[in-house]
Amino acid sequence: MEKNWYVVHTYSGYENRVKANLEKRVETMGMQDKIFRVIVAEHEEIDVKEDGKKKAVMRKIFPGYVLVELIMTDDAWYVVRNTPGVTGFIGSSGGGVKPTPLLPEEAERLLAQMGMNEQRLGEVEITVGEVVEVLEGPFAHFQGRVEEVDIEKAKLKVLVDMFGRETVMELDFNQIQKI
């Protein structure tokens, strides 16, 4: 059996509480080998107050939902379903039917959106000086030279020639392709 990502429905506003409860249950019930990560999908936004001050705040991408990486066994299913604040799994028709996991592409896209790429440099094998192509965003299909690689953040800086001027872009590993 392999581990997959599942979406769990919670009471709205209880996502962080459900995450904490589930992590505690995993620890106390010895389920670390079946339930791996619990994530509340959030991203950082900048709020501008009336007095002009900027403040960074975390906003939930999917209010009322929590992502759980687990190996779907009867035990793991029971632990998650019976965590306080959980109303059920998304992708389950009820009546004891186990849910369907997220597709790997969906899970990768969600993790990338939160800056938690699973792709690492070892898999990409990019070095400084190599030429890469940008795959997405406003600069899709532009080519550039790798200037810097940050393994920890799974990001790299690419120097792209745009209208005769070189511009540095910071990209995720999954936003580029080696040429």
Side-chain angles (χ1 to χ4, degrees):
M1 303 201 65
E2 65 180 59
K3 61 183 175 179
N4 288 301
W5 285 97
Y6 293 85
V7 180
V8 176
H9 188 262
T10 69
Y11 296 121
S12 190
Y14 283 71
E15 301 87 356
N16 291 325
R17 220 173 289 167
V18 166
K19 178 183 189 299
N21 286 341
L22 185 51
E23 287 172 342
K24 189 162 186 78
R25 284 173 60 93
V26 166
E27 190 178 318
T28 59
M29 298 174 93
M31 297 292 291
Q32 295 92 337
D33 61 331
K34 293 187 177 88
I35 302 173
F36 304 99
R37 290 190 281 176
V38 182
I39 296 174
V40 176
E42 298 178 313
H43 65 100
E44 189 175 353
E45 286 183 0
I46 305 295
D47 273 358
V48 180
K49 301 288 182 183
E50 289 180 22
D51 58 0
K53 291 184 181 177
K54 294 180 182 179
K55 182 180 178 186
V57 293
M58 295 303 285
R59 296 249 192 264
K60 290 181 180 51
I61 297 172
F62 305 113
Y65 298 97
V66 173
L67 301 172
V68 181
E69 183 182 37
L70 58 88
I71 296 173
M72 185 54 74
T73 63
D74 289 338
D75 295 343
W77 189 42
Y78 177 84
V79 168
V80 174
R81 261 192 1 231
N82 292 298
T83 299
V86 170
T87 60
F89 278 90
I90 300 300
S92 174
S93 58
V97 177
K98 290 190 178 153
T100 55
L102 287 175
L103 295 172
E105 309 86 62
E106 292 173 320
E108 252 180 61
R109 191 175 61 244
L110 285 171
L111 292 172
Q113 190 175 354
M114 293 181 292
M116 301 175 68
N117 294 15
E118 292 196 335
Q119 200 172 27
R120 291 286 176 231
L121 183 64
E123 297 170 23
V124 178
E125 296 179 21
I126 299 287
T127 58
V128 173
E130 282 190 279
V131 177
V132 295
E133 179 180 352
V134 180
L135 297 175
E136 57 187 48
F139 302 102
H141 309 297
F142 275 76
Q143 293 182 359
R145 188 172 25 87
V146 177
E147 288 291 306
E148 187 180 309
V149 179
D150 186 343
I151 299 169
E152 291 300 310
K153 293 182 182 174
K155 292 188 180 282
L156 45 90
K157 289 188 180 173
V158 177
L159 198 59
V160 177
D161 185 28
M162 216 166 49
F163 309 118
R165 299 181 78 191
E166 290 187 327
T167 305
V168 176
M169 299 175 59
E170 187 172 313
L171 301 165
D172 293 330
F173 288 165
N174 63 347
Q175 292 179 299
I176 56 101
Q177 171 181 311
K178 251 171 108 168
I179 295 179

